[in-house]
Amino acid sequence: MLIETHAHLDYPDFAPDFDDVLRRATEAGVTRIITIGTSVASSRRAVELAEKHANIFAVIGVHPTSDDDGVDDVMTPLRELAQSSRVVAIGETGLDYHTLPSMAVAKEKHVQIFGRALQSETEEEVEAGIHDGAYKSRQASLFEQQLDLAVELGLNVVIHQRDAWEDTLEIIAPYEGKLRGVFHCFGGSMENAGEVIARGHLVSFTGIVTFKNGAEVREVAANVPINKFMVETDCPYLAPVPFRGKRCEPAHTRLVAESIAAARGVDLEEIARVTTATAEAFFKFNR
Ligand SMILES: [Zn+2]
C-alpha cells in the first residue's frame, strides 16, 4: 500500500486513458493518489476528480509560475474550493526563480519589452533588476496568501521551490509551529534536508532517485530519517527508469519506493508502511 503524494491528474495528458491510469495504480499497490492543483482552474478540476473517485484526494493552490495572469487575490477562490472535505492540503505553492524576466531580456526580446534598445549594460541590468523584483514579489505575495489560508484552515502545505532556497525558508519561517510543509521533488543536499526537517517540515522524492545521474538525490533519500519523507511521481513529469522520457503516472510511485528501499537496504514493505503513515499524519484525509 503506497500513497502517491504528488500527481497532476487534471492535466490533459491523462484524458485519453484516465481509467487505465487509475487501474494500473491500484494494481501496483498505489491505493491513494493526491492530485495537485497548479492554478485556480486546475485546483477546481482537482477537487472535481477527488469528489468523483474514492481513492483520489485534492491539494489546491497556485504554482509560483502559474500564468493565472492578473489574479492577485487567490485566497478567495481557494477558500471557496477548500469547502470540499476532499481537500487535504494547500499547494503547490512556493517560489521559483529558475527563469527570471532578466533571463528573457535577450537581444531581440529587449526591444519587445522595453520598446527600444537599451543604452548600456548598466542600464540593462537596472531595468532587468526592477523587472525581476516585481516578479519575485508577486510570487512572495501568492505564497504568503496561501500560507495564511493554510493556517486559517488548519492544513499543511505542498511546497514548490526552485532556485529560491533562502527566500523560501525566510517566507515560511514565521508560519513554523502553525503549519508544516513538504518540500516536494526534493533535489537539495543532505544539509538542506536536515535544515527543513529541523524546522518541522518534510521532503518527498520523485523518479529522479532512479536516474543514472540522480546519485546525489538517491544518497539523500538513503539517509534522511525514515519518517521524514514521502514518495511521489510529479506525473506526468519525471517518469522513473525504465520509463524515463515517457509520460509518468501514479503507478510508478512503486518504482520510486523500490529504488529508495534498495538505496536504504530495507524492504519495499517497510518504505510503504512508514511513508503511508507519514502521509496520513501530514495530509488531512478525514476532514
Ligand atoms: Zn507538481
Short mmCIF file of all heavy atoms in Angstrom, two decimals, residues 6 8 92 184 234, ligand 1:
data_model
loop_
_atom_site.label_atom_id
_atom_site.label_comp_id
_atom_site.label_asym_id
_atom_site.label_seq_id
_atom_site.Cartn_x
_atom_site.Cartn_y
_atom_site.Cartn_z
N HIS A 6 1.95 13.25 -5.04
CA HIS A 6 2.02 14.43 -5.92
C HIS A 6 1.83 14.03 -7.38
O HIS A 6 2.78 13.66 -8.08
CB HIS A 6 3.37 15.14 -5.74
CG HIS A 6 3.42 16.53 -6.25
ND1 HIS A 6 3.60 17.64 -5.44
CD2 HIS A 6 3.33 17.03 -7.51
CE1 HIS A 6 3.60 18.74 -6.17
NE2 HIS A 6 3.45 18.40 -7.44
N HIS A 8 -0.46 15.18 -11.12
CA HIS A 8 -1.26 16.23 -11.77
C HIS A 8 -2.27 15.55 -12.68
O HIS A 8 -2.19 15.63 -13.91
CB HIS A 8 -0.35 17.19 -12.54
CG HIS A 8 0.58 17.96 -11.65
ND1 HIS A 8 0.13 18.98 -10.84
CD2 HIS A 8 1.90 17.84 -11.40
CE1 HIS A 8 1.15 19.47 -10.14
NE2 HIS A 8 2.24 18.78 -10.46
N GLU A 92 0.19 23.36 -5.09
CA GLU A 92 1.54 23.63 -4.71
C GLU A 92 1.82 25.11 -4.79
O GLU A 92 1.42 25.79 -5.74
CB GLU A 92 2.55 22.83 -5.54
CG GLU A 92 2.46 23.02 -7.05
CD GLU A 92 3.40 22.06 -7.79
OE1 GLU A 92 4.63 22.13 -7.60
OE2 GLU A 92 2.88 21.23 -8.56
N HIS A 184 8.50 19.33 -1.97
CA HIS A 184 8.26 18.26 -2.92
C HIS A 184 9.35 18.23 -3.99
O HIS A 184 10.04 19.22 -4.21
CB HIS A 184 6.84 18.41 -3.49
CG HIS A 184 6.78 18.79 -4.93
ND1 HIS A 184 6.76 17.84 -5.93
CD2 HIS A 184 6.74 19.98 -5.53
CE1 HIS A 184 6.71 18.48 -7.09
NE2 HIS A 184 6.69 19.76 -6.88
N ASP A 234 5.15 13.25 -9.33
CA ASP A 234 5.06 14.54 -10.04
C ASP A 234 4.62 14.28 -11.49
O ASP A 234 4.96 15.03 -12.39
CB ASP A 234 6.38 15.33 -10.01
CG ASP A 234 6.17 16.82 -10.27
OD1 ASP A 234 5.01 17.30 -10.25
OD2 ASP A 234 7.17 17.51 -10.51
ZN ZN B 1 3.91 19.40 -9.28
#
